[in-house]
Amino acid sequence: MRYFFIVLLLLASSLKAQDTLQQKKDVKVGLVLSGGGAKGFAHVGVLKKLEEAGVRVDYIAGTSMGAIIGGLYASGYNAIELDSVLRVHDLGGLVKDELPREVSSFYQKENGGKYAISLPLVKRKIELPSAVSKGQSAFNIFSQLTEHVHEVNDFSKLSIPFFCIATDLETGEEVILDKGFLPEAIRASGSLPGLLTPVILDGQVLVDGGIVDNFPVEKMKEKGVDYIIGVNVSGGLKDIENLNTLPEILIQIAGFQMYDKWEDKINQSDIYISPELTGFNTFSFDQGVEIIKRGETAAEKVMVQLKELASKQQKDTLRTISSFPKVEELLIKEIVIKGNRNYTDKYCIKKLGIAEGEVISHKEFMRGIDVLTATNNFASIYYKLTPEQGGTKVEFEVRENPERTFIQFGGHYDDLYKTGVLVNFTTKHLLFKNDFISADFVIGDNLRYNLDYFYDNGFNWSVGVNTRYNSFKADIVSSILPVARNNDPLDSGLKIPIRYYDFTTRFFLQSTVKDKWAFGVGIEHKYLNIFTDEVIESNTYRIHFEKSHYMNFFGKVMFDTYDTKYFPKKGFYLNTEYLLYVVSSDYNNNFVPFSQLYGRLGIAHSFFDKLTLHLLSEAGLTIGNNENQVLDFHLGGYNENYINTFVPFYGYGFAELNESAFLRTALTIRYELFKKNFLSFTGNFARLNNDIWNDGRIFEDTKTGYAAGYGVNTILGPVELIYSWNPDNNNNFWYVNVGFWF
């Protein structure tokens, strides 16, 4: 019996020793992911193979794209989920900071599409932008993908401990980011100079970590891991033939010192993986699927080593990455905004479209971020969602644009205003917070200016002032002109060369609903001066047709969801205005108070993303007795910036048709032949009569016109060549328009 107990004791000791030996076999694995732009997609392919081999990753370090992939993996995504994320989200498009037009303010929708060049003025000097993109879109997607860990401030508390590398732009020193706000950290690590603006974090200005350490193997060793798997997608220095862009040149310069120590980094990696990525570059985002496969192929070559490493790890401690619920709605419990100095909390909250105590969809919340971004008042808008009892606390950290004054330029040619060069000066928060003033000056064949002052008062009615001076020369059919005072009547149908001057000032109140609807009321002063010069026996006589001041009241309602201002493919547009003429200096001695109602409705819808049907209807109605033909509605010609009561109509000359009321409908069929190249055909139909409805017989006495055209949407604005005609006579017209309309 004594021997039996001795055997049991020896057996227990042996089992304990084996268990101790097994415990000693468990090793900690650190994964280091290099930067490389789009080539970093290969990291996802490597992660797939690590999971297939059963390797447990205990620590992750990354730089630039390696930080983005590594940070997402550390937050809880598995490799398959990351593959899906990269396929769904256009990471290449994120650096463009492109926003849909629908999130722009009404002022931007009406006036923003005029400028080809916009440059900030700092200390009265033109300053070039610091980067191609602010990186707001990049931050937004990083923040959305990591909302489940927004409350985690210590990256060692993530599903897998993590750190990334950034560079202090002021000192050139390496900065290790292992605490803070995860989307902000990976955004900083990937801020390639010239491409994305730097990130200001704790008083430091941070840019891409690849400048100082694109492969932080040494830093991983300091974390006490036993094995290091290093994945390098950078590819080393390039030949001069492959240095074609500014970011590539900057990466090359940064690599001079970094690649000098590259062999040491490789030697410190226990398993080194370097996918074959010849033919791909930093911006090959559209080839992500193939790049991921290259990562899988490279990892497959070391699969034996990976499985051997996995066998040394305790399987009962293998981290399981659980899925996390997608948040569809947010109950806003508290809103905190920091960093705003010149724009009030009320202004920011109005643009964001959120309110404490309300439930908002996640989609609408992100739309609010886009709306605030579209104001161009903020260099960055960072947000954090923290779950709390009874709802979600939303914290915003905003950084206002340091530039407050801009100079902008545009150019245009059309058949009415001829050649014009536009110079704009815009300055913000000049008198109050939330305000701006914008001044357009057009130099060319017809001098013009447009001055806007607008104070955005948040939820309440906002205040605006607009004053403009407009002038042009045109041949007008004499029948639409009033008999000039002290002159004989003009021959009917004769075309008279006239000069048209308009000076209008408006003071108004305006309110908007989610920047889709706008409502405004105000008072207007208008001065019209219309004349022709007649030469008789070498003497010039000026004949005035109108030379009156008017005081008017107006109200307007607008709705605009067009996807683009020019060549829209989808959306609705509504512009209605009621104008009451109250008092006039009455140059022609025929004024009595009257009013006019005008409306314009547009609908655009596309099929197969190439073919667009664009329906546009307009109507004008005079209420009361107007004896001044100048203030009638005048149809004819083609122009996108007609003023007052002038309305475009294909097939007839400028202002050839006129009446106190009209109804016009135009249907355009537009086909995108190549990207931003459009073929179009338009049929427009109009009825002009005091009684436009004609007891329902609106097709009687209808004017008809047609047009065919070719247009290109360029960075300078639309370029169009249009031919129009009508079946009623042999008249035909060619129109050439170049550049943004203004």
Side-chain angles (χ1 to χ4, degrees):
M1 181 65 71
R2 183 176 62 181
Y3 292 108
F4 176 73
F5 282 111
I6 292 174
V7 171
L8 289 178
L9 182 62
L10 290 174
L11 181 61
S13 298
S14 175
L15 291 174
K16 183 176 181 180
Q18 289 181 13
D19 183 66
T20 301
L21 183 62
Q22 183 67 26
Q23 291 292 334
K24 289 181 180 179
K25 278 188 177 181
D26 190 28
V27 295
K28 291 184 177 181
V29 174
L31 177 65
V32 180
L33 307 177
S34 81
K39 293 184 291 183
F41 285 6
H43 293 317
V44 176
V46 172
L47 288 170
K48 285 184 178 182
K49 292 300 178 179
L50 292 183
E51 291 180 357
E52 182 181 323
V55 174
R56 186 194 72 226
V57 177
D58 298 283
Y59 225 121
I60 300 179
T63 298
S64 197
M65 183 58 82
I68 295 169
I69 301 297
L72 293 176
Y73 194 72
S75 76
Y77 290 91
N78 60 39
I80 299 298
E81 290 170 330
L82 283 179
D83 187 302
S84 299
V85 166
L86 296 181
R87 291 172 188 264
V88 170
H89 297 284
D90 177 18
L91 295 188
L94 292 179
V95 300
K96 300 178 183 178
D97 270 343
E98 292 182 346
L99 294 171
R101 181 175 179 270
E102 66 167 310
V103 301
S104 300
S105 69
F106 253 93
Y107 179 84
Q108 290 171 314
K109 289 175 180 177
E110 289 185 277
N111 300 279
K114 297 190 294 186
Y115 312 115
I117 300 173
S118 180
L119 298 170
L121 288 175
V122 179
K123 296 180 180 178
R124 300 181 180 179
K125 295 181 180 179
I126 294 177
E127 185 175 90
L128 295 177
S130 60
V132 173
S133 168
K134 295 179 182 179
Q136 184 63 48
S137 295
F139 171 82
N140 287 348
I141 190 62
F142 299 156
S143 188
Q144 289 180 69
L145 293 172
T146 60
E147 283 178 6
H148 56 287
V149 293
H150 273 197
E151 73 278 8
V152 178
N153 297 316
D154 185 345
F155 299 165
S156 67
K157 305 299 183 183
L158 293 170
S159 178
I160 301 174
F162 168 77
F163 71 88
C164 60
I165 305 298
T167 304
D168 188 318
L169 184 60
E170 187 174 13
T171 65
E173 296 178 351
E174 179 182 74
V175 178
I176 298 177
L177 300 175
D178 56 7
K179 291 181 175 61
F181 189 38
L182 182 60
E184 190 174 25
I186 61 179
R187 159 73 174 84
S189 183
S191 298
L192 184 64
L195 188 64
L196 296 177
T197 56
V199 172
I200 299 178
L201 185 60
D202 297 330
Q204 293 178 296
V205 181
L206 304 181
V207 294
D208 198 295
I211 296 174
V212 289
D213 193 352
N214 201 39
F215 197 36
V217 178
E218 303 93 331
K219 303 300 182 298
M220 179 60 78
K221 272 193 174 297
E222 295 173 3
K223 298 298 181 181
V225 298
D226 302 302
Y227 274 73
I228 292 179
I229 301 174
V231 186
N232 170 33
V233 298
S234 62
L237 297 175
K238 293 184 177 182
D239 297 331
I240 192 66
E241 292 83 5
N242 296 315
L243 295 174
N244 301 315
T245 66
L246 177 59
E248 289 174 338
I249 294 173
L250 292 174
I251 293 172
Q252 182 87 343
I253 294 172
F256 291 154
Q257 180 178 358
M258 179 175 59
Y259 288 115
D260 186 49
K261 302 178 181 178
W262 205 255
E263 287 300 321
D264 291 339
K265 293 176 178 291
I266 294 174
N267 293 333
Q268 291 184 64
S269 302
D270 297 285
I271 298 178
Y272 178 70
I273 302 174
S274 180
E276 171 53 49
L277 296 172
T278 302
F280 303 101
N281 59 46
T282 306
F283 305 102
S284 299
F285 292 99
D286 58 336
Q287 298 174 283
V289 174
E290 179 59 31
I291 294 174
I292 291 174
K293 290 180 181 178
R294 295 291 181 94
E296 294 182 53
T297 301
E300 187 68 42
K301 294 179 180 179
V302 294
M303 184 60 76
V304 173
Q305 294 172 262
L306 294 176
K307 289 183 176 180
E308 182 181 348
L309 175 59
S311 68
K312 298 178 182 180
Q313 295 181 300
Q314 290 292 322
K315 298 301 178 286
D316 59 347
T317 61
L318 187 65
R319 296 177 187 270
T320 58
I321 302 177
S322 58
S323 60
F324 28 85
K326 184 178 179 180
V327 178
E328 298 291 346
E329 290 186 335
L330 299 171
L331 172 57
I332 308 297
K333 181 181 179 182
E334 183 182 0
I335 302 171
V336 178
I337 302 177
K338 300 177 182 178
N340 53 319
R341 300 186 309 276
N342 295 299
Y343 299 94
T344 62
D345 286 1
K346 184 184 293 186
Y347 170 88
C348 295
I349 292 173
K350 163 72 181 306
K351 293 296 182 182
L352 290 165
I354 60 177
E356 292 182 355
E358 291 188 357
V359 176
I360 185 173
S361 70
H362 195 275
K363 181 179 179 181
E364 283 297 305
F365 177 81
M366 293 310 304
R367 182 186 183 277
I369 300 293
D370 287 343
V371 170
L372 191 59
T373 302
T375 64
N376 294 321
N377 295 327
F378 300 92
S380 62
I381 305 167
Y382 292 167
Y383 73 89
K384 179 187 292 187
L385 303 177
T386 306
E388 292 189 352
Q389 186 176 2
T392 300
K393 179 181 180 181
V394 187
E395 298 176 81
F396 293 96
E397 182 74 35
V398 302
R399 183 165 66 89
E400 295 180 359
N401 272 330
E403 304 91 0
R404 55 178 289 183
T405 303
F406 297 84
I407 182 170
Q408 305 179 97
F409 302 93
H412 185 78
Y413 172 84
D414 66 68
D415 296 284
L416 179 63
Y417 290 102
K418 305 304 180 183
T419 302
V421 175
L422 172 64
V423 181
N424 169 271
F425 294 93
T426 297
T427 188
K428 301 179 178 181
H429 37 87
L430 178 67
L431 303 177
F432 307 99
K433 293 182 178 181
N434 310 345
D435 76 353
F436 72 87
I437 187 168
S438 175
D440 287 339
F441 300 95
V442 180
I443 305 168
D445 292 300
N446 294 278
L447 298 178
R448 291 171 281 160
Y449 74 75
N450 187 82
L451 179 66
D452 286 299
Y453 174 82
F454 192 73
Y455 172 71
D456 195 329
N457 198 27
F459 292 107
N460 301 317
W461 286 86
S462 300
V463 180
V465 178
N466 168 261
T467 181
R468 77 172 188 224
Y469 169 75
N470 194 296
S471 69
F472 60 81
K473 293 179 287 188
D475 291 339
I476 300 290
V477 178
S478 60
S479 59
I480 77 170
L481 296 171
V483 176
R485 196 165 63 178
N486 300 324
N487 287 278
D488 294 331
L490 298 169
D491 293 333
S492 179
L494 180 66
K495 284 199 171 184
I496 304 297
I498 61 102
R499 288 299 311 236
Y500 190 105
Y501 294 93
D502 170 275
F503 181 84
T504 300
T505 299
R506 284 186 163 189
F507 173 83
F508 61 92
L509 302 176
Q510 179 175 293
S511 182
T512 61
V513 178
K514 293 188 176 181
D515 288 308
K516 294 181 180 179
W517 289 95
F519 308 89
V521 293
I523 187 171
E524 171 189 88
H525 166 263
K526 183 182 293 291
Y527 173 66
L528 294 177
N529 186 8
I530 305 169
F531 61 85
T532 187
D533 288 328
E534 185 176 16
V535 179
I536 301 176
E537 296 180 356
S538 301
N539 295 317
T540 301
Y541 299 92
R542 178 154 294 181
I543 304 173
H544 284 278
F545 303 105
E546 175 64 299
K547 196 177 181 182
S548 300
H549 294 267
Y550 295 90
M551 289 298 298
N552 310 319
F553 292 104
F554 69 90
K556 62 188 307 179
V557 177
M558 296 183 65
F559 180 80
D560 188 351
T561 61
Y562 276 167
D563 58 337
T564 61
K565 186 172 183 178
Y566 307 106
F567 311 116
K569 287 189 172 184
K570 63 180 181 179
F572 294 85
Y573 178 83
L574 173 68
N575 181 9
T576 62
E577 180 172 292
Y578 176 77
L579 183 61
L580 175 61
Y581 288 83
V582 181
V583 179
S584 173
S585 61
D586 199 8
Y587 178 81
N588 290 307
N589 294 322
N590 60 358
F591 176 81
V592 293
F594 70 97
S595 61
Q596 288 181 328
L597 182 62
Y598 167 81
R600 186 179 195 186
L601 173 66
I603 303 172
H605 183 74
S606 291
F607 303 88
F608 318 113
D609 197 41
K610 291 287 186 180
L611 182 66
T612 301
L613 295 184
H614 188 192
L615 180 66
L616 187 65
S617 290
E618 294 179 273
L621 179 65
T622 300
I623 305 170
N625 184 24
N626 170 36
E627 297 294 337
N628 189 344
Q629 295 99 313
V630 167
L631 300 178
D632 279 346
F633 295 101
H634 311 296
L635 278 66
Y638 172 62
N639 200 286
E640 289 289 340
N641 58 354
Y642 282 155
I643 62 170
N644 298 332
T645 53
F646 293 99
V647 179
F649 190 75
Y650 286 125
Y652 289 84
F654 173 66
E656 187 174 344
L657 305 174
N658 70 99
E659 189 51 83
S660 60
F662 80 97
L663 177 63
R664 169 188 178 250
T665 296
L667 177 63
T668 298
I669 302 173
R670 190 163 47 242
Y671 184 78
E672 189 171 14
L673 191 61
F674 310 109
K675 187 176 182 180
K676 298 184 178 181
N677 286 252
F678 301 91
L679 285 173
S680 65
F681 176 81
T682 301
N684 58 184
F685 316 91
R687 174 176 169 77
L688 294 91
N689 196 285
N690 290 328
D691 179 15
I692 58 173
W693 304 115
N694 195 28
D695 295 326
R697 301 188 303 275
I698 60 175
F699 296 105
E700 288 185 359
D701 192 26
T702 299
K703 301 295 183 181
T704 304
Y706 301 95
Y710 187 87
V712 183
N713 208 359
T714 73
I715 59 174
L716 300 177
V719 177
E720 297 176 283
L721 178 63
I722 298 172
Y723 174 75
S724 73
W725 71 96
N726 75 68
D728 300 327
N729 53 51
N730 295 324
N731 290 343
N732 55 76
F733 305 88
W734 283 97
Y735 299 106
V736 177
N737 305 288
V738 180
F740 293 115
W741 292 94
F742 50 77

